[in-house]
Amino acid sequence: MTRQGESSEQKYRAVGYERVEPKATYAPWSEDTDFLHVNEVIKEHTLVDRYRCYELWQLVPQAMKTPGDLLEVGVWRGGTGALIAAQSARCDRSRVVYLADTFTGVVKAGARDRYYRGGEHANTSVEHVRRVLESLDLDNVRILAGVFPEETGEEIAVGGGFCFCHIDVDVYQGARDVTEWVLPRLNPGGVIVYDDYGFYGCEGVTEFVNEITATSDLVVIHNLNGHAVIVKA
Ligand SMILES: C[S@@+](CC[C@H](N)C(=O)[O-])C[C@H]1O[C@@H](n2cnc3c(N)ncnc32)[C@H](O)[C@@H]1O
């Protein structure tokens, strides 16, 4: 129960949400030993469930059919960033994985964001993320500390553009600014994954992705696990 007499389901329905329970049973994450090894290391350092982690794991090699580097904005303690970097290294160690975070919490919360006020998820550090990366022997990562893109975008020397971007910033304006920075640098066939799409409390991200769904050179997919996935034509 949330407020007195109000269940979570009632709270969701009041804003057009409901608990989503897909009926499929295929579960490849349970037999993928490479994924299971990496997931065991990163699971204590992520807020992202294994269904979304497994989708990132599967999408990285798909995106890497396209040339370019990889980017995550919204790293927190490094869980999904390390997962993306581990999978990228298995495919092609020469690609750089940029991991960008303020390391002082969420920024740019505004009127479209129901839950966030700014400063959430500040309980992390660059050193913590480095330790997680070291535990997986990853040397293909560059960490960018500061507000992205304003403070750290210029630290990226992207001659060859990007093939993959994971945006996990929780709020409308953050998702918008990262998208506007990365889209012109994303090679055709490149993929953007939005975390938070469809989660109660993260309506700003859902609103932003819905706004760009009609963009002519983008294929936008709503995955019921709480991801939106964009493929650039
Ligand atoms: C939900 S956490 C990320 C979770 C992480 N991907 C995981 O594996 O659990 C959101 C993060 O986004 C960061 N963030 C939000 N907006 C940002 C921005 N514009 N630039 C850099 N970091 C940002 C916050 O500091 C916070 O650490």
Side-chain angles (χ1 to χ4, degrees), residues 89-185:
R90 291 174 73 232
C91 299
D92 177 356
R93 257 198 135 86
S94 72
R95 310 266 192 125
V96 179
V97 180
Y98 293 92
L99 300 184
D101 204 292
T102 61
F103 295 99
T104 53
V106 170
V107 287
K108 304 185 185 179
R112 294 179 172 93
D113 307 300
R114 185 191 307 274
Y115 168 76
Y116 284 90
R117 295 291 173 265
E120 296 83 1
H121 309 308
N123 53 342
T124 182
S125 66
V126 171
E127 294 67 35
H128 182 99
V129 173
R130 282 201 204 290
R131 281 196 294 276
V132 177
L133 296 169
E134 278 166 19
S135 67
L136 287 166
D137 281 330
L138 295 169
D139 59 2
N140 56 339
V141 173
R142 280 200 52 200
I143 296 176
L144 307 174
V147 177
F148 190 91
E150 293 88 337
E151 295 178 356
T152 58
E154 287 188 356
E155 292 178 37
I156 298 181
V158 213
F162 288 96
C163 66
F164 182 84
C165 181
H166 180 220
I167 301 178
D168 189 1
V169 294
D170 301 325
V171 296
Y172 177 93
Q173 194 62 46
R176 182 182 191 120
D177 291 348
V178 177
T179 304
E180 288 177 353
W181 188 92
V182 78
L183 258 185
R185 296 166 171 87

Side-chain angles (χ1 to χ4, degrees), residues 77-90:
R77 295 188 157 200
T80 53
L83 178 103
I84 291 164
Q87 182 66 306
S88 175
R90 291 174 73 232

